[in-house]
Amino acid sequence: MLSFPKTMRHSAHTRNRTRREQGSTLVIVLWIAVGLVSLTLYFAQTMLSEARASDHRVQGLAAEQAIEGGVRYALAVLAGRLTNGIIPDPSSYECESVALESASLAEQDSARFWFIGRDTNSAAAQFVAFGLVDEGAKLNLNSARSNELYYLTDWDVEVTEAILDWRGTNGPGTSLSWYGMQTPSYECKQAPFETVDELRLVLGLTSEVLQGEDMNRNGVLDPDETDVNRDGAADAGLLDLVTIYTREPNTYSNGIARVNIRSMGSGAQEFSQLLQDNIGSARATIILQQLGLGGGQGGQGGQGATGFTSPLQLFRRGGFTVEEFAAIEDKITVVEGDYIEGRLNINTASERVLSCLPGLIDSPDLVQLLVDYRVKSPDGLTSLGWLVEALGQNNESVLAELEQRDILTTQSYQFTADIAATGAYGRGYRRVKFVLDTATGVPRVVYRQDLTGLGWALGKETRDELNRSKTGNGSIASK
């Protein structure tokens, strides 16, 4: 048998142990290396996440500043109109993807804002409209009558009564005990609404009633919204159908009181002079005779001698043309005081709101007739006279109902700037709604509400354009 010296055996054992120790060391080193790499990747990922979060915070701040710039721009647009009360044409100002550009930035690196608007001539808008929203197109929550609210709430008697209770129309009301049983309890206000969002406190006003099918309140049916009645439209809730801000100055632009046509006995001479100054002496004489005012000195009885309940009634009985009445419509009134409250702008009201008016309730064909007329003759909507032309002689009873109250106008002095904004590449989305009032002659913000929590409201098309700008496959054109 072959035998090795003891020294050699010891040397071999030592070498084997050394190899094992070296192998163990290598494994330990590899584990340490793996751990260090893992820590490096972890911290790198954390730093990347922090960088992204920081970028979103920065872009969110940029979007907030874009919104502040947007509301200042909206105020400037309203202040720059030649005539207060005229609705600015969206094509006359920038309202979509307005970039806050800098010479050092590429276009897609700029923050930008949009004015989310409404197409009130379309019952089923497919795309988000852009522009300032006319508050005059909404029913005034404080002056609307019960039957108008009843129709607007889809014939819900309990909700209608609760709204009337809240604003104090019904006196103590029947729903007062409900408020005391809430946690925490509160009282029914029994006073006029100060904001539309007070509706959230009223008995029976659920999110479905308040927001309808349009949960993000942008005027279109988005993919994540449910078309409950399957009519292809984003049916609006009460929050987008009513307002509390509508009022018109009861003066000329120079501050002098309008001519009051409610009582024509002592004011007939002033009214006569108004007609002569604005439509000429010949036509003024004919109209005064038509009204039974005998050249402005009183008249021999009849409606003209006692006055008129509304400008629409004056138009119908005086035989004005639409253009003639446009020259005096903003110079006459049937109320006293500094402001005319709660009128509805017949030029911009949606089908849903028009359907609440006296004579038009449950008359979808007539409502559609008015909307069609607005679309076909946009330049002819200069005075209430177009309403008479559109309805024609076959709807005398409807016009007779409409003229009994001073509820219609063709002017607006309050607007909503619903401003959505993003930072660079569409990041940092923010949205804030402003209500702007121009009734005093100087545009000012009277209400502000953050709507960012309602989610994306600019539509799929805008999102796709922003995504293309991120990848370099395209960019949003600056308006």
Side-chain angles (χ1 to χ4, degrees):
M1 175 181 284
L2 185 60
S3 168
F4 294 98
K6 183 176 181 181
T7 342
M8 292 181 64
R9 290 199 303 272
H10 176 72
S11 176
H13 176 73
T14 301
R15 286 195 301 272
N16 289 335
R17 186 176 64 185
T18 300
R19 291 193 187 98
R20 286 197 298 272
E21 290 175 351
Q22 290 175 342
S24 298
T25 302
L26 178 60
V27 170
I28 293 171
V29 170
L30 289 175
W31 276 111
I32 292 173
V34 170
L36 290 175
V37 170
S38 298
L39 285 173
T40 301
L41 293 175
Y42 170 78
F43 285 119
Q45 184 62 38
T46 301
M47 291 176 66
L48 180 60
S49 298
E50 284 295 324
R52 287 175 176 170
S54 297
D55 177 65
H56 279 288
R57 284 194 292 269
V58 169
Q59 301 309 328
L61 291 173
E64 290 170 9
Q65 291 304 306
I67 287 175
E68 296 303 321
V71 70
R72 287 176 173 80
Y73 177 61
L75 290 169
V77 168
L78 294 176
R81 292 173 300 168
L82 295 177
T83 304
N84 195 11
I86 301 301
I87 301 173
D89 185 346
S91 64
S92 68
Y93 61 93
E94 301 183 24
C95 56
E96 181 181 357
S97 188
V98 185
L100 306 182
E101 296 182 9
S102 169
S104 61
L105 294 176
E107 182 183 340
Q108 62 267 27
D109 291 331
S110 299
R112 60 188 69 244
F113 67 83
W114 294 254
F115 293 141
I116 300 176
R118 290 292 186 277
D119 181 2
T120 54
N121 286 328
S122 174
Q126 301 298 313
F127 303 100
V128 177
F130 296 102
L132 298 174
V133 177
D134 178 20
E135 284 290 293
K138 305 173 185 179
L139 198 67
N140 191 294
L141 196 55
N142 287 325
S143 60
R145 293 192 173 181
S146 57
N147 57 337
E148 295 160 1
L149 291 171
Y150 177 59
Y151 185 86
L152 205 62
T153 57
D154 292 329
W155 304 281
D156 193 320
V157 176
E158 292 183 357
V159 168
T160 301
E161 290 182 347
I163 292 173
L164 296 175
D165 287 346
W166 184 269
R167 77 182 193 189
T169 303
N170 284 347
T174 59
S175 61
L176 300 187
S177 59
W178 180 84
Y179 299 98
M181 293 186 292
Q182 303 309 298
T183 304
S185 62
Y186 58 101
E187 295 182 356
C188 184
K189 185 176 182 181
Q190 294 191 279
F193 285 84
E194 296 176 68
T195 70
V196 170
D197 277 273
E198 277 183 40
L199 286 169
R200 299 181 186 278
L201 300 173
V202 177
L203 168 65
L205 272 295
T206 62
S207 61
E208 289 76 14
V209 177
L210 292 172
Q211 294 176 239
E213 296 172 348
D214 188 13
M215 300 305 291
N216 65 358
R217 297 169 61 186
N218 67 346
V220 298
L221 194 66
D222 291 297
D224 58 343
E225 294 173 339
T226 304
D227 187 6
V228 178
N229 56 7
R230 299 182 181 181
D231 63 350
D235 295 338
L238 275 186
L239 291 177
D240 286 323
L241 296 172
V242 297
T243 182
I244 55 98
Y245 300 103
T246 45
R247 61 175 187 166
E248 299 179 43
N250 204 19
T251 61
Y252 297 125
S253 58
N254 58 7
I256 298 175
R258 296 186 184 193
V259 175
N260 196 318
I261 61 171
R262 171 69 72 174
S263 176
M264 296 298 287
S266 60
Q269 185 61 47
E270 187 180 8
F271 177 66
S272 173
Q273 190 63 51
L274 174 69
L275 293 183
Q276 293 178 48
D277 292 343
N278 288 275
I279 63 176
S281 298
R283 280 294 294 158
T285 299
I286 294 173
I287 289 172
L288 289 169
Q289 291 174 347
Q290 176 78 15
L291 294 172
L293 290 172
Q297 300 301 322
Q300 304 300 319
Q303 180 67 34
T306 58
F308 301 90
T309 59
S310 68
L312 181 61
Q313 189 179 73
L314 173 65
F315 174 85
R316 295 186 66 218
R317 303 200 178 189
F320 293 88
T321 66
V322 175
E323 293 73 19
E324 286 173 343
F325 202 67
I328 68 163
E329 187 174 9
D330 63 343
K331 301 176 178 66
I332 58 176
T333 184
V334 296
V335 300
E336 301 290 343
D338 295 332
Y339 295 98
I340 306 169
E341 305 281 351
R343 282 173 164 177
L344 176 71
N345 193 323
I346 198 73
N347 291 357
T348 54
S350 66
E351 289 185 30
R352 179 91 175 269
V353 176
L354 288 173
S355 298
C356 299
L357 293 176
L360 295 177
I361 293 177
D362 288 335
S363 300
D365 292 342
L366 293 182
V367 171
Q368 189 61 52
L369 180 67
L370 296 179
V371 173
D372 291 343
Y373 187 96
R374 294 191 316 201
V375 173
K376 294 176 182 177
S377 307
D379 297 329
L381 312 179
T382 55
S383 76
L384 289 174
W386 77 261
L387 184 66
V388 179
E389 288 194 352
L391 291 176
Q393 299 300 318
N394 296 326
N395 294 292
E396 172 66 25
S397 60
V398 175
L399 291 168
E401 283 194 66
L402 288 171
E403 72 176 21
Q404 293 306 308
R405 291 165 54 206
D406 182 26
I407 58 174
L408 302 178
T409 185
T410 57
Q411 297 189 326
S412 292
Y413 293 82
Q414 293 77 32
F415 302 89
T416 288
D418 187 351
I419 308 176
T422 66
Y425 297 99
R427 300 188 184 107
Y429 174 80
R430 298 288 190 274
R431 181 184 177 190
V432 179
K433 168 188 169 182
F434 300 86
V435 178
L436 313 176
D437 184 7
T438 69
T440 62
V442 179
R444 61 193 182 96
V445 176
V446 295
Y447 185 71
R448 174 178 182 142
Q449 182 184 27
D450 192 323
L451 298 181
T452 306
L454 296 181
W456 184 260
L458 293 172
K460 181 179 182 298
E461 294 74 21
T462 300
R463 187 191 294 276
D464 290 343
E465 289 188 50
L466 288 169
N467 287 335
R468 285 196 296 271
S469 73
K470 292 179 187 178
T471 59
N473 293 328
S475 62
I476 296 179
S478 176
K479 293 285 183 175

